[in-house]
């Protein structure tokens, strides 16, 4: 599918300059930029949806871990005494 974009001359020049430095086409640079943007925004949206689902689950059940419990657990990562995930509680 062909799509046309209208971009300012300044941005077009920057893309062309970067393309020449990377020995890529301006088309490749723009596709890469769009792909990275979409992936980043999708990841951000997924994170947001997971946070909303976690909040809804907390409101429904009251199950949680405190920040201190999570930090204590994370501090064991990579040590000889690495702990299992702590159990949620009310």
């Amino acid at each position: 599918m062909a799509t046309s974009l209208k971009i300012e001359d300044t941005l077009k020049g920057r893309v062309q300059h970067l393309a020449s430095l990377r020995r890529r086409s301006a088309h490749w640079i723009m596709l890469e930029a769009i792909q990275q943007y979409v992936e980043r925004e999708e990841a951000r949206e997924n994170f947001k949806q997971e946070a909303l689902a976690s909040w809804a689950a907390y409101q429904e059940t009251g199950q949680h871990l405190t920040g201190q419990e999570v930090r204590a657990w994370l501090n064991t990562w990579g040590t000889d005494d690495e702990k299992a995930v702590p159990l949620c509680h009310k």
Side-chain angles (χ1 to χ4, degrees):
M1 164 178 80
T3 302
S4 54
L5 298 170
K6 293 182 181 182
I7 59 176
E8 298 175 354
D9 289 340
T10 304
L11 180 57
K12 184 178 179 181
R14 290 169 60 197
V15 169
Q16 290 171 335
H17 177 70
L18 186 57
S20 69
L21 292 174
R22 299 288 185 264
R23 296 183 183 194
R24 298 282 189 169
S25 67
H27 178 260
W28 186 93
I29 296 290
M30 289 185 282
L31 285 177
E32 183 71 13
I34 292 168
Q35 180 177 333
Q36 287 182 20
Y37 174 82
V38 169
E39 288 173 0
R40 184 177 62 244
E41 291 304 309
E42 287 173 339
R44 184 176 289 156
E45 186 60 31
N46 287 338
F47 179 79
K48 177 183 168 186
Q49 294 305 317
E50 286 177 17
L52 291 172
S54 293
W55 176 244
Y58 168 73
Q59 288 180 310
E60 189 175 308
T61 67
Q63 296 288 311
H64 70 283
L65 292 172
T66 66
Q68 184 177 5
E69 291 167 329
V70 173
R71 279 190 300 278
W73 168 58
L74 291 175
N75 285 337
T76 69
W77 282 18
T79 69
D80 292 336
D81 192 30
E82 190 168 315
K83 304 288 186 206
V85 178
L87 296 176
C88 291
H89 55 83
K90 285 193 177 209

